[in-house]
Amino acid sequence: MDVDDEENMSSSSTDVKENRNVDNVPPKDGGGQGAGEGMQLSNGGGSSSRKRPLEEGNNGHSKFRPKKRKKTPGPVLPKNALMQLNEIKPGLQYKLLSQTGPVHAPMFVMAVEVNGQVFEGSGPTKKKAKLHAAEKALRSFVQFPNASEAHLAMGRTLSVNTDFTSDQADFPDTLFNGFETPVPSDASFYLGSNGDGSFSSSGDYSLPSSAVASSLSQSPLPAPSPYPSASGKNPVMILNELRPGLKYEFLSESGESHAKNFVMAVAVDGQTFEGSGRNKKLAKARAAQSALASLFNMQLDQTPSRQPIPSEGLQLHLPQVLADAVARLVVDKFSDLTENFTSPHARRKVLAGIVMTTGTDVKDALVISVSTGTKCINGEYMSDRGLALNDCHAEIISRRCLLKFLYTQLELYLSNKEDQQKSIFIKSERGGFKLKENVQFHLYISTSPCGDARIFSPHEAAQEDQGDRHPNRKARGQLRTKIESGEGTIPVRSTTTIQTWDGVLQGERLLTMSCSDKIARWNVLGIQGALLSLFVEPIYFSSIILGSLYHGDHLSRAVYQRIAEIEDLPPLYTLNRPLLSGISNAEARQPGKAPNFSVNWTVGDTGLEVINATTGKDEMGRASRLCKHAFYSRWMRIHAKLSSSLRSKIKPNLYHETKQGATEYQTAKECLFKAFLKAGLGAWVEKPIEQDQFSLTV
């Protein structure tokens, strides 16, 4: 905690500021009192001797202005008794009772009245005398290690009025006042939240979502933890009170100059906790927050309305080595597929890809998919037989490539006994299949996904630290739609929008949900989709890595935090919180007009498939290998082999009806839509239902 942090300590008297002993050097003994000084001293009145005297002959103006104290590195010191007492009882009056002894060694006696009782303290300076008086006062009625606990003991309530739509991310004091509802949790909150240094393959990092306080004022709390509540301090300050003298270590720095990401670590009680943020101060705060949550059961604010969330950096920062390796693998594979970027189809605005790892070992990493694209289908080319791709944005296409890979892996498992071992799937005790342990998927996108994750000003990060004054800040988190035949997104309408087939054909613009919204959806429903959910347990991304425009607060809000209050999810479904990261050498912005084509490649393919994004088919008018029709055909063949062993008995007919048969998936989808509505973020816009009213025979 540096001097800036100390300024945040709640202190209403000038005396507290004057009595900060930053360097832990005892002040020089002050001389006697000025002749004109009264015997009753208001707070801080007795320390005027520290100021330089005005030089005479200069009309009363000083030639020498007091120098500002420079920030001093080193361990942070706990607050003294004077400061703690002032927090509990602001505005106390200290009186000088007597001054004895010779001029060169005076002895002062100061007194302070607290709750009708007078406490005296003596010392060689007035300041030390006041300090001793304060210590006696504190000892007499507060048997607590620090002011935070004393606040609670004395029943003080703290009320807050603040704009929680603000984008401020530097832990304003008010952010934590009155919102602590500590939740007991045994979850280990440091990197590798399985407790063994590995990442959970399901991506469930068991972040407790603290209950929303029913009002903005703090009621006396139950005591699930014997430690103080945050009481208006940032996490670094609270942790320092509990464990003074901690050293914070700078681990890494990544991202572009306008959107840096720093990672700091702190060792507490033999455990190391990491935190990341757009500046070192924020990263330190998040590392401290992680330690507080894990060691002291102190859950700081995580409710979604106060965005961006302070909890993003707890343990949700991907180790930089892995993030950089995933990005490099995807770019290298794209280079191979486009003859070292010389092919005409190497032209692109956005590149995406998915990499599979076993645990976090990069050595065995396998690129599953590579794709490009930034456009959506034109309404008049919609297919009622599932033959056209609706959304050719790179990350959406990469996820469809992953679906293709999952079908291949299921087919591999079902082919013969030898191939079963090669498949990434194993039988689930609940019926159907699940991923083998430690199989993880990492999504790389060369820039932030369109929609909520990209609605920020990349070159104004510094101003945002002062608090988001943007007039549109209340729209943070809104669901947004891509617009037909164009780039960019617009917020959904306030009323539910139902798209109709004939309406779109007649000229209404076809709306497609933004990539940010779709990724948030995958973090609840899984990336396997409705059809595959009839065979396999939900599969979630373990991490999301951005090649540029990485802003942890905005990205985490967009992809999971805004729906943190989601409720009633069916078994196996959860709100996945993937690890998030930028890369060390951010990709340069791709200027110029976006090409109208999208390319895709999945492991096992001989080469790229090129799709016209406007028509959703290739240039010859043929259906893509990633279209609904192709996937439904593969699903039907697998279903024919598995139908006898499935929990859900389904008679495949229309594509739409088969998807509806995935009841748990559909229940989870309803929960997701409700969570968006409940958070005031709008209603999900679905495609015309006629699109899915097709059938096929194997």
Side-chain angles (χ1 to χ4, degrees):
M1 177 168 51
D2 52 30
V3 175
D4 281 353
D5 288 327
E6 283 195 81
E7 294 301 327
N8 290 330
M9 295 177 181
S10 42
S11 149
S12 58
S13 74
T14 54
D15 179 72
V16 173
K17 287 185 176 134
E18 286 194 4
N19 280 286
R20 286 194 181 128
N21 197 353
V22 179
D23 302 318
N24 207 18
V25 178
K28 292 177 184 169
D29 292 352
Q33 237 173 291
E37 186 172 339
M39 289 300 281
Q40 172 150 342
L41 294 169
S42 157
N43 283 354
S47 45
S48 58
S49 58
R50 293 178 57 186
K51 295 178 182 170
R52 295 181 183 223
L54 297 177
E55 287 218 341
E56 291 181 20
N58 197 21
N59 294 331
H61 293 292
S62 170
K63 281 184 185 173
F64 305 103
R65 296 195 176 277
K67 288 183 181 174
K68 283 188 178 177
R69 187 187 297 278
K70 289 183 180 173
K71 291 186 181 182
T72 51
V76 182
L77 301 164
K79 296 182 189 178
N80 65 28
L82 200 64
M83 297 163 77
Q84 296 197 45
L85 182 60
N86 184 68
E87 282 193 358
I88 299 164
K89 291 282 185 188
L92 292 172
Q93 301 289 312
Y94 290 80
K95 294 180 183 178
L96 177 65
L97 294 185
S98 67
Q99 177 184 343
T100 55
V103 176
H104 65 276
M107 181 59 69
F108 299 92
V109 178
M110 303 289 291
V112 63
E113 186 177 328
V114 184
N115 293 345
Q117 203 175 343
V118 176
F119 300 92
E120 293 180 10
S122 60
T125 64
K126 291 176 198 162
K127 187 165 75 175
K128 287 193 175 174
K130 286 163 75 174
L131 192 61
H132 287 146
E135 281 173 358
K136 283 185 182 174
L138 271 178
R139 272 201 299 271
S140 74
F141 64 88
V142 181
Q143 271 67 51
F144 297 99
N146 53 46
S148 308
E149 275 194 77
H151 270 305
L152 291 180
M154 299 177 72
R156 289 195 63 211
T157 57
L158 304 163
S159 64
V160 184
N161 274 317
T162 186
D163 178 6
F164 289 121
T165 57
S166 164
D167 209 21
Q168 193 161 338
D170 264 350
F171 294 90
D173 291 346
T174 51
L175 192 59
F176 298 112
N177 283 356
F179 284 96
E180 289 76 37
T181 311
V183 180
S185 166
D186 298 326
S188 80
F189 263 59
Y190 45 98
L191 190 60
S193 60
N194 290 345
D196 57 3
S198 67
F199 301 138
S200 159
S201 58
S202 69
D204 180 8
Y205 292 95
S206 5
L207 268 179
S209 39
S210 56
V212 187
S214 55
S215 75
L216 293 191
S217 103
Q218 180 181 6
S219 53
L221 298 175
S225 153
Y227 300 100
S229 76
S231 190
K233 303 186 187 110
N234 80 29
V236 175
M237 297 163 73
I238 302 165
L239 184 60
N240 186 67
E241 286 186 1
L242 297 165
R243 295 286 186 275
L246 294 172
K247 292 272 197 303
Y248 288 80
E249 188 186 351
F250 171 59
L251 292 188
S252 70
E253 173 184 340
S254 61
E256 295 148 285
S257 57
H258 61 266
K260 286 280 188 201
N261 193 65
F262 297 89
V263 183
M264 302 289 287
V266 63
V268 188
D269 297 350
Q271 294 181 26
T272 300
F273 300 89
E274 291 186 9
S276 69
R278 76 179 75 154
N279 53 45
K280 289 181 185 173
K281 184 176 172 185
L282 187 54
K284 274 171 65 176
R286 287 173 169 170
Q289 191 178 353
S290 175
L292 289 169
S294 178
L295 299 177
F296 305 107
N297 244 354
M298 292 178 64
Q299 313 304 339
L300 302 183
D301 190 40
Q302 287 173 357
T303 41
S305 54
R306 295 174 270 295
Q307 303 298 353
I309 46 39
S311 47
E312 176 266 325
L314 284 183
Q315 81 302 339
L316 302 185
H317 186 277
L318 189 63
Q320 200 61 54
V321 176
L322 180 57
D324 291 345
V326 166
R328 174 56 34 215
L329 284 165
V330 172
V331 173
D332 286 351
K333 175 54 73 176
F334 187 57
S335 170
D336 293 346
L337 292 165
T338 56
E339 291 139 33
N340 201 20
F341 309 116
T342 58
S343 148
H345 297 123
R347 221 162 49 86
R348 52 91 182 181
K349 273 265 196 184
V350 180
L351 170 69
I354 293 168
V355 172
M356 181 176 76
T357 61
T358 307
T360 51
D361 193 349
V362 187
K363 289 202 299 289
D364 305 321
L366 176 69
V367 180
I368 302 299
S369 66
V370 173
S371 57
T372 66
T374 56
K375 302 272 179 78
C376 290
I377 194 170
N378 190 307
E380 64 184 284
Y381 290 101
M382 283 190 308
S383 170
D384 58 0
R385 291 190 294 144
L387 299 173
L389 296 178
N390 290 321
D391 188 341
C392 282
H393 281 232
E395 53 269 58
I396 307 305
I397 293 297
S398 256
R399 180 258 179 177
R400 290 198 74 77
C401 292
L402 177 58
L403 290 180
K404 182 167 172 268
F405 173 71
L406 295 178
Y407 277 113
T408 304
Q409 291 296 307
L410 267 180
E411 289 160 355
L412 188 66
Y413 186 95
L414 296 170
S415 57
N416 59 55
K417 279 274 187 268
E418 283 175 29
D419 288 338
Q420 271 188 18
Q421 298 305 312
K422 298 178 193 168
S423 173
I424 62 169
F425 287 111
I426 54 172
K427 277 262 174 72
S428 166
E429 50 287 354
R430 294 171 56 93
F433 301 90
K434 65 180 181 181
L435 283 182
K436 282 180 178 170
E437 206 173 344
N438 286 333
V439 171
Q440 297 184 8
F441 295 108
H442 309 273
L443 172 65
Y444 169 75
I445 318 170
S446 62
T447 187
S448 52
C450 67
D452 190 45
R454 207 188 287 169
I455 306 298
F456 67 95
S457 303
H459 296 283
E460 293 176 11
Q463 282 96 315
E464 284 179 19
D465 285 346
Q466 308 307 314
D468 186 356
R469 298 281 176 266
H470 196 281
N472 196 36
R473 66 183 180 278
K474 293 188 192 300
R476 301 281 192 216
Q478 283 295 131
L479 289 173
R480 303 176 74 89
T481 59
K482 303 162 186 172
I483 52 174
E484 182 187 304
S485 310
E487 294 183 69
T489 61
I490 54 172
V492 295
R493 291 182 193 144
S494 50
T495 53
T496 305
T497 304
I498 297 174
Q499 302 197 90
T500 60
W501 188 272
D502 45 353
V504 170
L505 289 187
Q506 211 173 324
E508 273 188 30
R509 273 195 152 176
L510 182 65
L511 300 176
T512 302
M513 296 305 295
S514 74
C515 292
S516 292
D517 299 334
K518 288 188 176 184
I519 294 172
R521 175 181 172 129
W522 301 338
N523 276 331
V524 173
L525 305 184
I527 45 190
Q528 77 294 326
L531 286 182
L532 274 174
S533 71
L534 288 159
F535 302 144
V536 304
E537 293 181 2
I539 298 168
Y540 297 104
F541 280 127
S542 294
S543 70
I544 299 172
I545 298 146
L546 300 189
S548 63
L549 292 183
Y550 172 74
H551 192 304
D553 295 324
H554 290 289
L555 182 62
S556 54
R557 177 190 67 232
V559 301
Y560 61 79
Q561 196 66 30
R562 56 184 166 153
I563 44 173
E565 300 299 304
I566 194 165
E567 298 170 327
D568 305 324
L569 285 169
L572 298 179
Y573 289 90
T574 184
L575 175 58
N576 176 48
R577 293 173 169 88
L579 295 154
L580 308 173
S581 183
I583 60 174
S584 299
N585 297 309
E587 179 173 289
R589 186 164 163 264
Q590 304 285 325
K593 196 170 184 296
N596 207 34
F597 59 80
S598 161
V599 304
N600 70 75
W601 172 89
T602 311
V603 62
D605 290 342
T606 50
L608 290 173
E609 177 182 66
V610 183
I611 298 295
N612 179 337
T614 303
T615 64
K617 297 179 181 177
D618 73 6
E619 291 302 347
M620 307 289 290
R622 292 173 300 207
S624 167
R625 55 196 178 191
L626 304 178
C627 70
K628 292 176 182 177
H629 192 283
F631 286 172
Y632 194 32
S633 299
R634 295 180 79 168
W635 185 91
M636 293 273 275
R637 287 196 292 276
I638 293 171
H639 182 265
K641 291 184 180 181
L642 285 176
S643 54
S644 57
S645 61
L646 288 177
R647 281 185 301 138
S648 313
K649 301 297 180 215
I650 288 182
K651 191 165 184 291
N653 187 13
L654 293 180
Y655 177 77
H656 172 75
E657 287 174 7
T658 305
K659 285 171 77 169
Q660 290 301 312
T663 49
E664 288 186 347
Y665 181 93
Q666 297 300 336
T667 303
K669 187 164 82 166
E670 288 307 311
C671 294
L672 172 74
F673 292 174
K674 274 185 200 156
F676 278 120
L677 281 170
K678 192 173 166 190
L681 303 176
W684 194 276
V685 180
E686 304 211 68
K687 291 281 192 307
I689 196 170
E690 290 83 359
Q691 267 206 150
D692 292 347
Q693 304 284 359
F694 64 91
S695 60
L696 47 91
T697 50
V698 182

